[in-house]
Amino acid sequence: MSKESRPLVLKVDTERPEIDKIRIAADVIRKGGLVAFPTETVYGLGADALNSEAVASIFRAKNRPADNPIIVHVADREEVYKLTKDIPVMAEELMDFFWPGPLTLVLKKSEIVPYVTTGSLETVALRMPDHRVPLALIAESGVPIAAPSANPAGKPSPTNARHVVEDLGSKVDIILDGGPTRVGVESTVLDLTASKPKILRPGGITAEELVDVLGAIDVAGMKIETEVALSPGMKHKHYAPSSDMIVVEGEDFDVLTRKVQELADEHRLEGKRVGIMATSESPRYDADIVKVAGSRADLRTVARNLFEILRGFDEAKVDMIIAEGVETKGIGLAIMDRLERAAGYRILRV
Ligand code: TXA
Ligand code: MG
């Protein structure tokens, strides 16, 4: 399939996806092509998960290291039993409770899942997205769809179709445009293959929500240094804008915001163009660009805007991004994980 021209961008109704458009995209999937589509979290870059060649082309398009496995998306619980073996009872409970939704479960893979998809692992990550477009696309394709976030490896994930066109436009066959995504950060990845469930990546379903259903869990997501081997994707650089970035963290919001302004002043004195990622509770900052991500009182708003804001700073060509940290409670854990990675762990605690 020729991918050198501009991709076909099809606007889809997220409430009632037009079947003719879904069929065009499903046809591309069945023929081994690449379709970018919205989910509730971020846009995905999808291919037939059982077709090694097609999945290999995802890795090429993203320039993704071959040892970083890809999440397989399903539209039907029955698919789970074909793609996995030895499913623990806990997985059934979690699927009952959180699917469709931003929770990815790592389970033992069955023979039919190719090693290209799992980055040579014996496990497979599965999720059922809470979005009618991918659910219709998977159903119409008749195959599970492997889909990482539709960004080049290392860059912030796309939360609207324009991001995908800019990043991977020449490398995909079709982009289904369902507007901006609702959650804004990726799914929570939960490993159920060890003796104790373990969060490999914090995301749209919070640790607290999982604890309510499961009891105790390990949260490895924030300790990348010591947990490298466990989630193949976590050792790679992630979500990074082109500019330098620093995250300011601290309990006392007044102290924190004073530090943010102080840092901005210092860098501007050095002649740098400075962008600040603020919240609606912040004081009026003095910088080259100030972007308000959302409200500390409802961190879901910050999650939704996070990647768009990081990209916006790149477009505005700032030299330095200074971001306010947030509480690591609820969705705040996923936000801080993404911010810290985006900053390459350049963190200032006050
Ligand atoms: O919300 C999401 O999860 C989005 C949408 C498109 O569904 N997808 C996404 O995929 O974020 P990706 O490839 O960008 O991130 C998948 C993460 C990576 O950190 C990867 O290493 C981990 O899941 N992963 C995938 N399969 C795994 C496995 N078998 N064992 C451990 N980690 C796995
Ligand atoms: Mg990704």
Side-chain angles (χ1 to χ4, degrees), residues 289-347:
I289 296 176
V290 179
K291 288 182 184 283
V292 175
S295 168
R296 311 182 85 79
D298 179 8
L299 288 179
R300 294 244 161 220
T301 57
V302 176
R304 199 171 299 140
N305 296 321
L306 185 63
F307 290 137
E308 164 78 13
I309 284 189
L310 293 181
R311 285 167 178 266
F313 282 127
D314 271 355
E315 278 158 29
K317 298 202 165 22
V318 300
D319 303 302
M320 170 62 82
I321 303 168
I322 303 169
E324 284 181 7
V326 298
E327 253 194 327
T328 52
K329 281 197 189 131
I331 196 73
L333 187 68
I335 295 169
M336 286 307 285
D337 172 72
R338 306 307 187 270
L339 280 179
E340 291 181 348
R341 285 168 199 275
Y345 292 92
R346 208 165 148 196
I347 300 160

Side-chain angles (χ1 to χ4, degrees), residues 112-146:
I112 66 166
V113 184
Y115 283 112
V116 186
T117 306
T118 69
S120 300
L121 295 174
E122 293 299 336
T123 58
V124 61
L126 295 180
R127 102 172 182 95
M128 187 187 290
D130 184 16
H131 196 296
R132 289 186 182 158
V133 170
L135 292 178
L137 179 64
I138 298 162
E140 197 57 32
S141 307
V143 291
I145 295 186

Side-chain angles (χ1 to χ4, degrees), residues 42 62 64 68 148-158 186 201 238-239:
V42 300
K62 278 185 61 99
R64 183 180 179 101
N68 192 0
S149 49
N151 52 287
K155 288 285 154 197
S157 296
E186 301 86 343
R201 177 179 74 182
H238 256 92
Y239 314 113

Side-chain angles (χ1 to χ4, degrees), residues 13 15 21 27 32 46 56 84 87 98 124-125 130 146 172 182 189 191 203 213 235 239 249 252 269 290 296 345:
D13 185 331
E15 289 304 309
K21 295 178 184 170
D27 204 42
T84 63
I87 299 187
F98 294 108
V124 61
D130 184 16
V172 300
R182 174 169 60 80
V189 179
D191 185 0
V213 175
K235 68 185 180 216
Y239 314 113
E249 304 179 4
D252 186 326
L269 271 177
V290 179
R296 311 182 85 79
Y345 292 92

Side-chain angles (χ1 to χ4, degrees), residues 86-116:
D86 311 335
I87 299 187
V89 181
M90 199 185 280
E92 304 277 1
E93 282 170 2
L94 290 166
M95 291 187 282
D96 287 344
F97 212 86
F98 294 108
W99 278 14
L103 177 66
T104 295
L105 301 177
V106 176
L107 297 162
K108 278 191 201 152
K109 83 172 198 74
S110 70
E111 277 72 40
I112 66 166
V113 184
Y115 283 112
V116 186

